[in-house]
């Protein structure tokens, strides 16, 4: 185990800064709040945090529109507040990675303000500018956030390209000055001691140079309805094809891997740092040592029905495709996706299923990433008023629905079910007003999910041994104490079962083999394993006692049981 790097052993926890902890009572999360909650995170048992963008930003895309890469958004605090957070995190053994948004800046970034000021401004070529074609945009490319990917700039009579919002113009990564400026910003935080980066939307860096029109016959509303504000569902191959037809010329283009190799050289100037890419494309691992350290296994979560066949097939394909030396990375949640409780549940056993999914992500081979609030079982919140929406693609979708003839009520429900706001509501710290996120009477930036009064809050769960929070703590502790769950290889067992998922994790140094059985069904089972070892000592089970020795010739597994046992001969 000793030879593993810290980021291979760590469990990461994503902090969405606007919603995590409000330290100055203005309804918006900040670094003072985050620092105050470090003891909570240490006690929870995570090893590293990824902080979504904390940079100054006009917040058109909640910080993913950066207007200054080397500073802290004033509502989140100052550079000194950041440094204090970093120091306090370090004292508790918590590593910190930041979010690096390379593809685009805010339209209010000084670079873009200069770039759009005139055609011969020295920064003109820092962004993607083109002449129109017969009074129309250069081609028919679209932004998945809604509408054309080109915005007309009257002052200079050209169009600029934006894969995301028009307030997020794409940088021109062919320009060496752009690279230099961004690598300088990258070094700025590494110099300050951050442990690495999550790379935002890395596949969108380059566009197809021929700029040919896409040939999709679908409208964007059709696509949007089919996707339900998620990314292409891996299980729906037809939908994936349709997505590629619409947007394929704008993503995963030549040159991005050379660029990642350059970035890796920059990051390797600093010891022990890491990069995780917001892409499921295995090519981002390069040869296993020359691009990103990790790329998220999104296909695992991109299903409506998480069942053992899906998981097993995913693992078989993914692990086989990794280049030598590459390390897997699994996740089920982030600030763009539905909350787990609201996603894989069957309406009856939602919590048990969510627990099984946590056990899965913590026992599969690879580095797990968790999302804030999952540990208390937060669920999606449905907004009831358009003025409360903060996620622009959802507002665009609402307007399109109305144009297409939906009633305002219908359009609101559709938009509210799909907006990313649903999983971004403030963290629920207690049963006090505003869930203890902000004091009573303060208007929080997104409404607090009222279910905090029903025990979905940290304070109520701390003292309840049966709570989701204490389940998370136990599972995180177990992972830390069980070397094979971190460094072990993976062998699937009982490969035809679609009710329960069972597998072995075996490590050589120290020698240990664990059997994991996750029952995703409401059926009890009696299982026989043909293993050399005839018995297992229970390390964790939702139904059995710790240290109980169990025969593997007839292992009783209860509905939705999670069982993790160490093989004994
Ligand atoms: C991916 C981020 O996760 C998402 O929240 C954001 O809107 C886009 N990239 C654009 O930066
Ligand atoms: Ca605040």
């Amino acid at each position: 185990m000793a030879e593993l790097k810290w980021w291979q052993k760590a469990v990461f926890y994503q902090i969405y800064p606007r919603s995590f902890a409000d330290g100055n009572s203005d309804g918006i999360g900040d670094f003072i709040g985050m620092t105050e909650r470090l003891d909570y995170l240490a006690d929870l048992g995570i090893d590293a945090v990824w902080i979504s963008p904390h940079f100054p930003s006009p917040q058109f895309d909640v910080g993913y529109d950066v207007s200054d890469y080397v500073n802290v958004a004033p509502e989140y605090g100052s550079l000194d507040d950041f440094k204090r957070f970093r120091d306090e995190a370090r004292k508790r053994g918590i590593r910190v990675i930041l979010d690096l948004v390379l593809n685009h800046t805010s339209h209010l970034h000084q670079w873009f303000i200069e770039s759009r000021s005139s055609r011969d401004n020295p920064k003109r070529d820092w962004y993607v500018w083109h002449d129109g074609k017969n009074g129309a945009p250069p081609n028919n490319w679209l932004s998945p956030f809604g509408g054309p990917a080109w915005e007309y700039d009257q002052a200079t009579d050209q169009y600029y390209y934006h894969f995301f919002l028009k307030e997020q113009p794409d940088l021109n990564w062919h320009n060496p000055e752009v690279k230099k400026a961004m690598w300088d910003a990258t070094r700025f935080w590494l110099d300050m001691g951050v442990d690495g980066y999550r790379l935002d939307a890395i596949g969108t860096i380059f566009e197809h140079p021929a700029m040919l029109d896409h040939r999709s016959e679908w409208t964007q509303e059709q696509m949007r309805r089919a996707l339900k504000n998620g990314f292409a569902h891996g299980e729906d191959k037809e939908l994936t094809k349709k997505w590629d037809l619409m947007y394929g010329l704008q993503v995963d283009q030549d040159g991005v891997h050379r660029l990642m190799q350059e970035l890796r050289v920059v990051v390797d100037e600093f010891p022990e740092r890491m990069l995780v890419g917001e892409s499921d494309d295995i090519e981002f691992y390069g040869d296993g040592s020359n691009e990103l350290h990790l790329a998220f296994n999104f296909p695992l979560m991109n299903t409506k029905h998480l069942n053992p066949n899906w998981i097993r097939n995913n693992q078989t394909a993914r692990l086989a495709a990794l280049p030598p030396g590459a390390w897997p990375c699994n996740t089920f949640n982030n600030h763009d996706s539905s909350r787990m409780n609201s996603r894989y549940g069957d309406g009856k056993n939602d919590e048990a299923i969510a627990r099984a999914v946590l056990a899965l992500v913590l026992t599969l081979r690879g580095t797990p990433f968790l999302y804030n609030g999952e540990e208390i079982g937060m669920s999606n919140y449905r907004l009831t008023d358009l003025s409360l929406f903060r996620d622009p693609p959802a507002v665009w979708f609402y307007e399109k629905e109305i144009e297409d003839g939906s009633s305002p009520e219908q359009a609101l429900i559709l938009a509210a079910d799909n907006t990313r706001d649903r999983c971004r509501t403030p963290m629920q710290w207690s049963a006090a007003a505003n869930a203890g996120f902000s004091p009573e009477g303060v208007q929080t930036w997104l409404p607090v999910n009222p279910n905090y009064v029903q025990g979905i809050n940290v304070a109520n769960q701390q003292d309840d041994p049966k709570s989701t929070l204490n389940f998370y703590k136990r599972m995180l502790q177990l992972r830390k104490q069980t070397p094979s769950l971190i460094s072990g290889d993976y062998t699937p067992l009982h490969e035809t079962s679609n009710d329960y998922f069972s597998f072995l994790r075996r490590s050589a140094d120290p020698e240990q083999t664990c059997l994991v059985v996750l029952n995703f069904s409401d059926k009890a089972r009696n299982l026989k394993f043909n293993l050399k070892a005839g018995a297992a000592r229970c390390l964790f089970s939702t139904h059995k006692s710790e240290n109980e020795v169990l025969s593997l010739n007839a292992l009783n597994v209860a509905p939705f049981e999670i069982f993790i046992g160490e093989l004994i001969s």
Side-chain angles (χ1 to χ4, degrees):
M1 259 250 288
E3 73 280 6
L4 289 186
K5 303 279 191 203
W6 69 266
W7 47 267
Q8 296 175 301
K9 297 187 246 185
V11 175
F12 283 74
Y13 177 96
Q14 181 189 358
I15 291 182
Y16 198 62
R18 219 167 180 76
S19 286
F20 190 63
D22 177 11
N24 67 349
S25 307
D26 65 353
I28 298 174
D30 47 56
F31 274 110
I32 293 180
M34 281 187 244
T35 309
E36 286 167 356
R37 296 297 179 176
L38 280 166
D39 282 337
Y40 165 79
L41 292 177
D43 181 50
L44 178 62
I46 53 94
D47 308 286
V49 290
W50 146 33
I51 305 178
S52 277
H54 66 282
F55 315 98
S57 159
Q59 300 290 328
F60 282 85
D61 190 21
V62 200
Y64 284 93
D65 48 325
V66 179
S67 56
D68 179 358
Y69 283 86
V70 290
N71 218 327
V72 173
E75 67 270 39
Y76 297 164
S78 61
L79 268 175
D80 282 342
D81 292 330
F82 172 80
K83 286 183 192 158
R84 203 163 72 82
F85 172 79
R86 173 208 59 189
D87 292 345
E88 292 298 319
R90 204 174 274 165
K91 274 188 208 157
R92 290 161 180 82
I94 296 176
R95 307 260 187 170
V96 178
I97 71 164
L98 301 179
D99 213 313
L100 190 56
V101 187
L102 297 177
N103 176 64
H104 48 272
T105 69
S106 159
H107 68 312
L108 299 182
H109 195 295
Q110 191 53 35
W111 300 340
F112 189 69
I113 293 175
E114 288 177 38
S115 181
R116 78 186 309 175
S117 66
S118 76
R119 284 199 189 200
D120 51 15
N121 181 277
K123 294 216 168 45
R124 184 65 169 183
D125 191 43
W126 281 41
Y127 292 84
V128 183
W129 289 98
H130 279 281
D131 289 331
K133 235 167 46 192
N134 312 321
N139 63 20
N140 69 355
W141 289 357
L142 297 165
S143 157
F145 277 11
W150 296 100
E151 181 71 6
Y152 181 60
D153 182 63
Q154 202 155 23
T156 56
D157 188 28
Q158 274 193 319
Y159 289 80
Y160 68 85
Y161 174 76
H162 56 93
F163 185 75
F164 296 100
L165 299 173
K166 67 179 190 316
E167 293 84 5
Q168 294 169 299
D170 274 44
L171 284 160
N172 172 16
W173 276 92
H174 296 290
N175 184 332
E177 290 175 19
V178 167
K179 271 196 227 171
K180 179 168 180 327
M182 287 303 260
W183 296 164
D184 284 351
T186 305
R187 288 188 182 97
F188 176 86
W189 299 100
L190 293 173
D191 263 333
M192 213 179 280
V194 308
D195 296 288
Y197 289 105
R198 174 262 191 189
L199 301 179
D200 183 64
I202 201 64
T204 60
I205 290 267
F206 291 114
E207 299 73 51
H208 195 284
M211 301 231 318
L212 301 174
D213 279 357
H214 74 73
R215 290 179 298 107
S216 170
E217 284 167 7
W218 259 21
T219 65
Q220 281 195 295
E221 295 92 282
Q222 273 172 300
M223 178 67 73
R224 184 92 193 159
R225 267 179 226 134
L227 286 173
K228 290 206 182 285
N229 208 19
F231 297 100
H233 278 285
E235 63 196 340
D236 189 339
K237 298 278 176 266
E238 278 310 302
L239 187 54
T240 304
K241 267 196 219 147
K242 287 203 154 77
W243 197 94
D244 286 344
L245 202 59
M246 189 173 278
Y247 301 114
L249 296 168
Q250 300 165 250
V251 295
D252 294 336
Q253 297 295 318
D254 259 10
V256 67
H257 295 292
R258 266 193 314 280
L259 189 72
M260 291 302 101
Q261 287 160 20
E262 283 182 41
L263 174 59
R264 178 64 179 258
V265 171
V266 171
V267 170
D268 282 349
E269 290 167 13
F270 303 80
E272 295 283 300
R273 311 304 159 96
M274 61 83 69
L275 296 167
V276 53
E278 193 211 3
S279 171
D280 55 38
D281 188 347
I282 278 178
E283 292 206 15
F284 280 107
Y285 282 101
D287 68 7
S289 66
N290 66 348
E291 287 193 37
L292 311 186
H293 301 77
L294 299 172
F296 288 114
N297 176 11
F298 289 132
L300 178 62
M301 68 185 263
N302 278 342
T303 173
K304 287 177 203 119
H305 308 285
L306 191 71
N307 58 45
N309 281 343
W310 177 265
I311 302 164
R312 214 178 282 117
N313 291 338
N314 169 273
Q315 289 298 293
T316 305
R318 186 98 189 158
L319 295 175
L322 290 178
W327 190 254
C329 175
N330 300 303
T331 187
F332 283 95
N333 283 98
N334 56 51
H335 62 293
D336 295 328
S337 67
S338 167
R339 289 251 179 217
M340 204 140 75
N341 254 327
S342 314
R343 184 149 37 120
Y344 299 129
D346 59 4
K348 269 200 332 226
N349 304 290
D350 298 1
E351 197 180 325
I353 294 170
R355 288 184 185 206
V357 179
L358 176 77
L360 176 68
V361 78
L362 293 184
T363 55
L364 282 179
R365 182 168 161 76
T367 300
F369 273 69
L370 312 178
Y371 178 54
N372 60 195
E374 290 295 312
E375 73 273 24
I376 50 168
M378 282 178 68
S379 50
N380 288 347
Y381 179 55
R382 183 191 267 182
L383 292 168
T384 50
D385 185 333
L386 196 65
S387 69
L388 297 172
F389 280 58
R390 295 288 172 267
D391 187 22
V395 176
W396 174 86
F397 182 53
Y398 172 88
E399 284 160 3
K400 284 287 159 195
E401 282 295 325
I402 297 279
E403 271 175 36
D404 290 354
S406 292
S407 69
E409 294 74 29
Q410 274 172 327
L412 187 65
I413 289 173
L414 280 173
D417 279 346
N418 292 319
T419 176
R420 297 178 298 175
D421 293 325
R422 64 192 172 171
C423 69
R424 296 174 175 181
T425 56
M427 179 76 184
Q428 295 163 204
W429 291 106
S430 75
N434 270 331
F437 175 78
S438 299
E440 187 165 12
V442 171
Q443 171 125 36
T444 55
W445 80 281
L446 267 178
V448 174
N449 189 329
N451 70 5
Y452 73 89
V453 294
Q454 289 146 17
I456 316 289
N457 69 68
V458 171
N460 282 174
Q461 293 193 19
Q462 291 280 27
D463 302 326
D464 173 3
K466 292 206 165 78
S467 67
T468 303
L469 180 58
N470 279 312
F471 172 74
Y472 264 70
K473 284 192 203 174
R474 278 206 305 282
M475 289 297 301
L476 284 160
Q477 218 174 30
L478 172 79
R479 184 183 152 94
K480 230 175 240 159
Q481 293 162 352
T482 314
S484 61
L485 294 183
I486 299 173
S487 66
D489 60 15
Y490 157 86
T491 311
L493 301 173
H494 293 198
E495 295 189 59
T496 53
S497 165
N498 203 25
D499 286 337
Y500 63 90
F501 177 52
S502 62
F503 57 101
L504 295 176
R505 298 289 315 275
R506 182 184 359 219
S507 61
D509 180 21
E511 215 174 282
Q512 183 186 51
T513 305
C514 275
L515 167 69
V516 181
V517 183
L518 306 174
N519 190 354
F520 280 86
S521 82
D522 57 5
K523 294 185 201 100
R525 291 283 183 165
N526 184 272
L527 304 179
K528 179 173 167 53
F529 291 96
N530 290 318
L531 300 171
K532 246 207 251 141
R537 184 173 64 84
C538 176
L539 299 179
F540 179 90
S541 158
T542 42
H543 292 73
K544 300 177 176 58
S545 317
E546 207 175 301
N547 288 326
E548 199 180 330
V549 172
L550 298 134
S551 161
L552 297 180
N553 286 324
L555 182 70
N556 281 318
V557 176
F560 296 106
E561 175 164 353
I562 295 165
F563 173 81
I564 302 167
E566 181 175 3
L567 298 195
I568 46 179
S569 22

